[in-house]
Amino acid sequence: MAKIINVIKGTKDILPQDVGEWHRLEETALKVFSKYGYQEIRTPIFEATELFARGVGDTTDIVNKEMYTFEKSERSLTLRPENTAGVVRSFIENGMSRLSAPVKLWYKGPMFRYERPQAGRQRQFHQVGVEMFGIKQPAADAEVILLAINYLKALGLNDLEVELNSLGCPKCREEYKAKIKEVLKPEFNNLCEDCQTRYEKNPLRLLDCKVESCQAIFSKPEIKEVIFSDFLCEECAEHYSQLKEYLDKAKVKYTENKLLVRGLDYYNRTVFEIKSNDLGSQNAVCGGGRYDSLVKNLGGEDTPAIGFAMGMERLNALLPKVEPKLLDGYIVSNSPVEAFALAEELRAAGKNVEFDLANKKFTKQLEKASKVARYALILGEDEIKENAVSVKNLETSEQIKVSRENVSEMV
Ligand code: HAM
């Protein structure tokens, strides 16, 4: 036999018995996001590498270590590791800044990151997300956070923790970064290799480091004091406090986490994550925030924006399984031509039906019907003569004979 070719590590097939879970996520997204005025956008799965280098940021792990990049006709292309940059590119390219604000877009689809696969972390994974353009006021931040919570609630997920932080604006954040660098200077040689790079390139990302020895350094009192100091300028503090007022008004429970800095460089002011305690170490189901400079940095007009994305595999891991749908009817007959014609009649009437294409024995067909359908539609010689069908409810075993034109009303 020829050698079997396996699925690539960190990727998975979504099999027919599991696809119902995905439909649930997608249908609920369409329903809930539409309520808030979002429209779906579908952007390409690969983009110019530069889009992510400039968009996501060249100090991030995503850009430095995790991108699937390849060359074609001397162009460097990359499988999208996330979709905010792609949506922003499309927003600019399609002149959406001319539309009246806010422009609200949602998406779903596969993303690619070369990470170490583990439970809840894949190399091809799926996100569902939203991006809102054109509103700088904190009401937009509050609405986006509420939308994330309401989507999760509509799926039946309630036991979640919302973490919130403000990263300030480039101005107040620069001062904060400088202070962090200053207080960590004596510890530089004790920081992990990644943190030493971050120290130079993006010191805020230091706070996110999971390495124990770094955590120990950050919890030293003089260092902790700087990390937890209030650094927001007046406008940023006001934006943050108004956002909290909206959230309090909506009775949203959240925890403020000063160490929440997110793994992408485009954020300013509001950042948030939603976590589940049921998920183990990869417990973030949703991450998002404001990115007021990204549209401009990617060549568009100055446009404030905010959004989030959720890991669909992680959502499915939290939700009960969806049983595959049964057919409405399975035709049991020794006359394949008659069965074929009945199947088409019922399909035309909107029913999901099958018959035995291989024309196996009657008993085999009945067995199959009981596995795949709610009703067995028995079309024996008598029924054919009488232009009737015996409809057997496979749950209760009740059986009645009805005239052929009435079958579709019975199943
Ligand atoms: P992110 O935090 O990198 O943000 O990803 C969002 C979510 O995607 C995570 O919370 C997680 O649930 C899921 N996720 C990320 N990586 C993996 C993986 N390797 N395997 C499984 N699930 C994963 C973003 O991508 C931003 N674009 C979100 C955003 C939109 N910010 C503003 N607008």
Side-chain angles (χ1 to χ4, degrees), residues 62 81-85 107 111 113 115 120-127 129-131 262-264 266-267 273-274 284-291 306-314:
I62 294 180
E82 59 99 60
N83 207 25
T84 306
Y107 53 83
M111 310 291 156
R113 296 183 192 176
E115 295 191 85
R121 200 203 273 160
Q122 290 178 200
R123 290 180 173 169
Q124 175 176 336
F125 61 100
H126 297 76
Q127 285 185 342
V130 310
E131 313 295 347
R262 308 272 302 126
L264 306 101
Y266 45 61
Y267 293 115
E273 277 186 3
I274 305 181
V285 288
C286 173
R290 189 167 263 290
Y291 51 95
I306 179 163
F308 66 73
M310 301 197 190
M312 296 174 82
E313 282 80 2
R314 294 187 194 176

Side-chain angles (χ1 to χ4, degrees), residues 149-163:
I149 293 170
N150 284 335
Y151 174 62
L152 294 166
K153 276 193 185 160
L155 290 169
L157 297 171
N158 295 299
D159 190 15
L160 298 157
E161 275 179 40
V162 180
E163 289 193 0

Side-chain angles (χ1 to χ4, degrees), residues 78-297:
T78 292
L79 298 183
R80 62 186 187 189
E82 59 99 60
N83 207 25
T84 306
V87 172
V88 169
R89 179 204 45 72
S90 180
F91 176 87
I92 298 167
E93 201 170 342
N94 292 293
M96 288 190 234
S97 59
R98 289 196 301 273
L99 303 174
S100 84
V103 175
K104 293 174 163 184
L105 304 169
W106 79 273
Y107 53 83
K108 59 176 192 303
M111 310 291 156
F112 306 84
R113 296 183 192 176
Y114 188 70
E115 295 191 85
R116 200 164 46 79
Q118 53 175 275
R121 200 203 273 160
Q122 290 178 200
R123 290 180 173 169
Q124 175 176 336
F125 61 100
H126 297 76
Q127 285 185 342
V128 55
V130 310
E131 313 295 347
M132 187 209 290
F133 296 92
I135 307 289
K136 63 176 192 302
Q137 283 79 1
D141 310 42
E143 193 185 271
V144 163
I145 294 173
L146 250 297
L147 173 58
I149 293 170
N150 284 335
Y151 174 62
L152 294 166
K153 276 193 185 160
L155 290 169
L157 297 171
N158 295 299
D159 190 15
L160 298 157
E161 275 179 40
V162 180
E163 289 193 0
L164 193 63
N165 193 19
S166 174
L167 299 178
C169 59
K171 195 170 150 278
C172 56
R173 194 167 44 201
E174 274 322 305
E175 285 166 25
Y176 181 56
K177 277 189 199 168
K179 277 193 198 150
I180 288 180
K181 277 180 88 165
E182 193 183 303
V183 73
L184 282 176
K185 204 171 184 177
E187 299 282 355
F188 183 84
N189 291 329
N190 303 327
L191 294 172
C192 73
E193 211 177 300
D194 279 344
C195 277
Q196 292 190 352
T197 317
R198 290 177 188 136
Y199 181 92
E200 295 304 339
K201 287 187 166 173
N202 186 0
L204 263 201
R205 296 276 299 134
L206 288 163
L207 309 184
D208 210 18
C209 181
K210 306 283 181 292
V211 175
E212 245 172 64
S213 52
C214 292
Q215 285 295 330
I217 296 171
F218 304 151
S219 56
K220 289 187 177 177
E222 69 280 14
I223 296 173
K224 214 170 158 183
E225 201 185 312
V226 173
I227 292 174
F228 284 88
S229 63
D230 270 330
F231 69 90
L232 298 180
C233 63
E234 212 177 301
E235 290 89 346
C236 288
E238 179 60 19
H239 184 98
Y240 191 38
S241 105
Q242 280 184 30
L243 165 62
K244 288 187 279 184
E245 203 180 319
Y246 279 108
L247 295 178
D248 292 340
K249 185 83 183 164
K251 300 203 166 46
V252 171
K253 285 208 189 84
Y254 55 87
T255 317
E256 292 181 66
N257 178 4
K258 275 263 180 191
L259 302 181
L260 181 68
V261 290
R262 308 272 302 126
L264 306 101
D265 279 353
Y266 45 61
Y267 293 115
N268 67 295
R269 291 195 171 163
T270 310
V271 285
F272 64 97
E273 277 186 3
I274 305 181
K275 295 187 170 148
S276 158
N277 297 325
D278 295 332
L279 272 182
S281 64
Q282 300 307 314
N283 62 354
V285 288
C286 173
R290 189 167 263 290
Y291 51 95
D292 292 334
S293 311
L294 186 58
V295 179
K296 194 168 173 210
N297 287 346

Side-chain angles (χ1 to χ4, degrees), residues 39 66 87 131 148 170 182 200-201 279 281 284 291 296 321 340 355 365 368 383 404 406 408 411:
Q39 291 185 304
E66 297 171 2
V87 172
E131 313 295 347
E182 193 183 303
E200 295 304 339
K201 287 187 166 173
L279 272 182
S281 64
Y291 51 95
K296 194 168 173 210
K321 276 208 74 62
F340 169 80
F355 75 103
Q365 292 188 26
K368 168 97 181 195
E383 281 90 352
R404 193 150 160 167
N406 292 336
S408 69
V411 297

Side-chain angles (χ1 to χ4, degrees), residues 14 18-26 122 126 151-152 155 157 279 285 310-322:
I14 298 172
D18 299 323
V19 83
E21 299 176 8
W22 293 80
H23 292 160
R24 168 177 55 191
L25 298 183
E26 292 162 7
Q122 290 178 200
H126 297 76
Y151 174 62
L152 294 166
L155 290 169
L157 297 171
L279 272 182
V285 288
M310 301 197 190
M312 296 174 82
E313 282 80 2
R314 294 187 194 176
L315 294 177
N316 276 334
L318 289 169
L319 288 166
K321 276 208 74 62
V322 175

